[in-house]
Amino acid sequence: MPKPKQLDKNYIAVMGKIFDVLNYLIDKGAKQEPVAFAAMVKALPFSRTTIHRILYSLEKLGYVEKAEIAAHYRLAAKFFEFTGPAVHFKHLQSISRAIMLDLMARHVENVNLGVLQNGQVVHIDVIQSPNALRVAAFPGERNPLHSTALGKAILAFMPEAEVTALLDGYPLVKKTPKTITQKAHLREHLALVREHGVAIDLEENLSGVTCLAAPIFDHAGRVVAALSVSGPSSRMTSKLSAVKNDLRAAALAATRMIAPLYESEHSLAEPKPARRAASPRKPKVQPPAE
């Protein structure tokens, strides 16, 4: 008669159950859609009581939260902070994809999703325009913050101390004749971005290309990414106002998916970053075209 298999005394069985619950929430709630408790009970090989206790514990620790719909759960912001940038970026891509496709369909121009990383803006997703004449970035491409709409949309809503550190740590390289290379001028420009809720790059990063971007916020009102629409200036000039309005709505939709209660405490029409810069001098630049 075979000898019974020796149990691994170092293995904590409940850990496997906890990660099975988390993996289910990751797979089924990829777009931050609430996951039904009943669906978890049906899919996982554990009792209702076990699953409930795991969810309760994860909620107490801040990694899972109850949704507005009764008996539904989703991953909380703390989970994405814990799992690091890679999972956070994947999450942003997942919830933003449909929004980006809608923007591209509306304006038939390139749509980009960017985040701050090591003092630069990094494109983590790009949907290219079907137009034959286009200049598109690619996922993983990096650009300066000061010369891009994506970068300025993020900079404008960061705490003042962080903005100062970035401006002191990275030179304002002149990418085109229109690039802003003076810190004081850039700060005045960022004040306008806060006022309008949209950043604009009028051929500042690449000659002949215009780009507009709007910020995406997390549950605490911190800017975590930005969405942009870019294209040849010859096509973009006539639709700046329409793109601006649609970008605001798109960024708010993404923010709602990240932090459903955000809208009740914040407004993208009058953004309120954690710590705003001191009131700037009268701007020398014109506000983004309507």
Side-chain angles (χ1 to χ4, degrees):
M1 187 173 178
K3 188 176 180 180
K5 189 175 181 179
Q6 182 69 33
L7 293 176
D8 185 348
K9 295 181 180 179
N10 292 317
Y11 178 71
I12 303 174
V14 71
M15 292 296 293
K17 297 178 181 179
I18 291 170
F19 279 94
D20 280 345
V21 170
L22 284 172
N23 282 328
Y24 187 85
L25 285 170
I26 292 169
D27 291 340
K28 301 301 180 182
K31 295 183 179 179
Q32 197 66 348
E33 295 172 356
V35 177
F37 175 73
M40 282 185 270
V41 171
K42 186 175 180 180
L44 297 172
F46 315 130
S47 68
R48 293 178 63 91
T49 301
T50 297
I51 295 173
H52 181 269
R53 291 177 66 188
I54 289 172
L55 289 169
Y56 177 85
S57 300
L58 289 170
E59 183 187 0
K60 284 291 185 182
L61 293 170
Y63 296 108
V64 167
E65 62 187 12
K66 289 179 179 176
E68 295 74 22
I69 307 171
H72 282 66
Y73 295 81
R74 63 171 155 250
L75 297 169
K78 187 176 179 181
F79 172 81
F80 296 102
E81 294 171 3
F82 175 74
T83 50
V87 173
H88 182 56
F89 293 169
K90 183 178 179 182
H91 177 58
L92 279 169
Q93 286 176 289
S94 178
I95 65 173
S96 301
R97 192 69 180 180
I99 296 170
M100 293 173 69
L101 287 168
D102 180 64
L103 279 172
M104 199 280 291
R106 284 171 178 268
H107 301 290
V108 200
E109 301 293 355
N110 302 321
V111 181
N112 313 281
L113 176 65
V115 297
L116 171 65
Q117 193 175 69
N118 298 325
Q120 295 180 302
V121 63
V122 181
H123 290 72
I124 61 172
D125 202 3
V126 176
I127 296 177
Q128 293 194 19
S129 164
N131 280 307
L133 177 60
R134 65 176 185 268
V135 180
F138 56 86
E141 182 174 330
R142 295 171 177 270
N143 280 291
L145 295 171
H146 71 284
S147 62
T148 58
L150 283 171
K152 289 188 285 186
I154 294 171
L155 268 179
F157 297 95
M158 291 177 64
E160 175 61 18
E162 294 179 21
V163 174
T164 298
L166 286 167
L167 296 187
D168 289 344
Y170 297 88
L172 304 186
V173 178
K174 193 176 185 66
K175 299 279 287 185
T176 76
K178 297 185 178 181
T179 305
I180 298 174
T181 57
Q182 298 298 319
K183 292 180 184 178
H185 189 185
L186 180 61
R187 287 183 182 279
E188 292 169 352
H189 189 88
L190 295 179
L192 288 176
V193 175
R194 286 192 289 273
E195 180 181 344
H196 291 267
V198 178
I200 186 167
D201 152 22
L202 292 170
E203 303 186 22
E204 297 164 45
N205 194 62
L206 192 62
S207 293
V209 175
T210 292
C211 183
L212 290 91
I216 297 172
F217 299 91
D218 69 6
H219 68 291
R222 297 171 298 201
V223 60
V224 292
L227 279 171
S228 75
V229 174
S230 62
S233 298
S234 58
R235 288 201 305 260
M236 290 289 290
T237 302
S238 64
K239 51 187 175 184
L240 289 180
S241 181
V243 171
K244 182 195 299 184
N245 291 334
D246 285 347
L247 265 174
R248 281 201 196 98
L252 179 56
T255 293
R256 284 173 177 162
M257 294 177 75
I258 293 173
L261 299 180
Y262 181 90
E263 191 184 16
S264 66
E265 299 177 1
H266 302 79
S267 167
L268 290 186
E270 297 181 72
K272 298 181 178 62
R275 283 180 286 171
R276 294 187 57 171
S279 299
R281 294 180 289 111
K282 186 177 180 180
K284 299 177 183 178
V285 293
Q286 295 298 317
E290 291 295 340

